[in-house]
Amino acid sequence: MANVERGNQSKVTEFILRGFRILHPFQMEPFVLVLLTYITTVAGNTLIIVTVLVDRGLHIPMYSFLGNLSFLDIWYTSNIVPKMLQGFLAEKGVAISFNSCIAQLYIFGSQATTEILLLTVMVYDRYLAICNLLHYMALMNTRVCIDLASCSWLGGFLLNPVIIAWIYRLHFCGPNEIDHFFCDFMPLVKLSCSDTHLIILAAFLVSATATLIPFLLTLISYAFIIVAIVKNPSSTGRRKVFSTCTSHLIMVSTFCGALAIIYLVPTDSAAINLNKMFSLLYSLVTPLLNLLIYSLRNKDVNDALRTMASRLMAFPRR
């Protein structure tokens, strides 16, 4: 273990991410599966960003938020998956420095909060488009769109610095093995030899604020949307909107539910493998589902992708 002296107490300067040690006899199968999922997520979301930027027909608030979400998901998975992949191949775990560990935790927490806020803003955009169609362009103009997206990013990255600064003040003087595939809050704090009751309470309050309030706002928005759908005289239009909204609600519920289980429900050491599975759900599966649900099932996006592909195929012939 790498240590440096600080007064009468040593401080851990390096952690070992244990990852999924239970899977080591089958390490290549999960490695390939996670790698393919990661490549698909990054490539697919990059394609969505390029399409939204290039196609003028997608220069509207809905697809602006979608571009933000795609960029966030690329960064989100890239913060966690590389170390996870190393963990599948390293029998004794993956080393990560103290500063890198804290940075990964901060980036992850900020990105998770930003994603929740962005998903909530996207639901609000759909609420305006469905329930206030006549006033939509006035209520969701370019300025409002930029403000909402900016507030989502700023809110995500400004909500966590106090907790991160608090972690820096903790003493880590004992074991340095984190029983997880990335530097998550609770597995990290459990290694501290300081009193952690207050920081755990503070993290609980921050997590509750960042998760439950946006989720409640999402439910309220969908309640109004469902009422508007029921009043829609067109059965075809009703089925289409209801199908889209149901997919979005399932996506938001899955993401927020997994985070709530991990950070709001007390767990003991016996449930650590279950926690890892839920962490895998929101760190790897959710970004891929975002790509499938919000982008690839969208007719406008599909039309724009086909148009861009046809132009690329015709380009060499000129």
Side-chain angles (χ1 to χ4, degrees):
M1 183 190 306
N3 295 323
V4 295
E5 295 297 326
R6 187 174 68 182
N8 296 324
Q9 197 170 27
S10 61
K11 178 185 177 183
V12 172
T13 60
E14 184 180 81
F15 293 106
I16 303 296
L17 299 174
R18 295 182 62 183
F20 292 97
R21 288 190 175 180
I22 193 174
L23 297 178
H24 276 304
F26 316 98
Q27 59 187 13
M28 288 309 301
E29 289 84 354
F31 174 85
V32 172
L33 180 60
V34 171
L35 179 61
L36 290 177
T37 303
Y38 175 61
I39 293 174
T40 302
T41 300
V42 172
N45 280 295
T46 300
L47 182 60
I48 296 302
I49 293 172
V50 172
T51 303
V52 170
L53 291 174
V54 170
D55 195 296
R56 291 185 176 274
L58 300 182
H59 291 179
I60 59 176
M62 174 182 176
Y63 298 109
S64 174
F65 295 135
L66 185 60
N68 275 268
L69 183 64
S70 294
F71 175 73
L72 177 65
D73 282 341
I74 293 173
W75 192 14
Y76 189 44
T77 55
S78 297
N79 179 47
I80 295 176
V81 173
K83 284 292 183 183
M84 186 195 306
L85 291 172
Q86 291 181 45
F88 285 125
L89 303 180
E91 185 175 351
K92 295 183 179 180
V94 178
I96 184 171
S97 69
F98 178 84
N99 289 334
S100 296
C101 183
I102 301 301
Q104 186 185 54
L105 174 60
Y106 170 66
I107 293 172
F108 163 74
S110 301
Q111 290 168 334
T113 305
T114 301
E115 178 136 347
I116 293 173
L117 295 176
L118 273 176
L119 290 173
T120 304
V121 166
M122 291 172 69
V123 172
Y124 175 66
D125 174 70
R126 291 301 84 204
Y127 159 75
L128 291 179
I130 295 172
C131 301
N132 294 276
L133 181 58
L134 297 178
H135 303 95
Y136 175 73
M137 294 308 298
L139 295 172
M140 187 58 71
N141 54 46
T142 303
R143 179 64 182 178
V144 173
C145 177
I146 294 174
D147 288 344
L148 288 174
S150 299
C151 287
S152 298
W153 284 94
L154 289 175
F157 280 82
L158 294 180
L159 194 60
N160 297 294
V162 173
I163 301 297
I164 295 302
W166 202 334
I167 292 177
Y168 260 110
R169 296 178 62 86
L170 296 178
H171 294 287
F172 294 89
C173 51
N176 71 333
E177 287 196 356
I178 298 176
D179 194 6
H180 215 303
F181 55 83
F182 74 103
C183 287
D184 204 1
F185 174 79
M186 191 57 70
L188 175 62
V189 170
K190 282 183 177 179
L191 297 180
S192 174
C193 48
S194 304
D195 184 357
T196 59
H197 289 87
L198 287 178
I199 190 173
I200 291 175
L201 176 60
F204 174 86
L205 294 175
V206 170
S207 299
T209 301
T211 304
L212 297 182
I213 293 178
F215 185 64
L216 289 176
L217 293 174
T218 297
L219 291 180
I220 293 172
S221 297
Y222 272 117
F224 285 105
I225 290 174
I226 291 173
V227 171
I229 292 173
V230 172
K231 294 180 179 180
N232 190 338
S234 170
S235 59
T236 303
R238 182 187 304 174
R239 284 197 300 270
K240 179 181 178 181
V241 176
F242 187 76
S243 174
T244 301
C245 291
T246 301
S247 299
H248 293 187
L249 184 57
I250 292 173
M251 190 66 259
V252 175
S253 300
T254 301
F255 186 74
C256 292
L259 286 174
I261 290 173
I262 296 297
Y263 296 106
L264 303 184
V265 179
T267 57
D268 53 28
S269 57
I272 186 63
N273 287 324
L274 184 61
N275 287 355
K276 289 179 186 179
M277 296 308 297
F278 279 109
S279 298
L280 191 65
L281 178 65
Y282 62 69
S283 62
L284 184 67
V285 178
T286 299
L288 180 62
L289 291 179
N290 283 342
L291 175 66
L292 297 176
I293 291 175
Y294 290 105
S295 300
L296 299 183
R297 291 180 72 249
N298 185 287
K299 182 180 181 300
D300 292 336
V301 173
N302 284 326
D303 290 343
L305 286 172
R306 281 192 290 267
T307 300
M308 189 168 66
S310 62
R311 288 176 180 174
L312 289 175
M313 292 176 64
F315 181 75
R317 300 175 185 176
R318 296 178 180 178

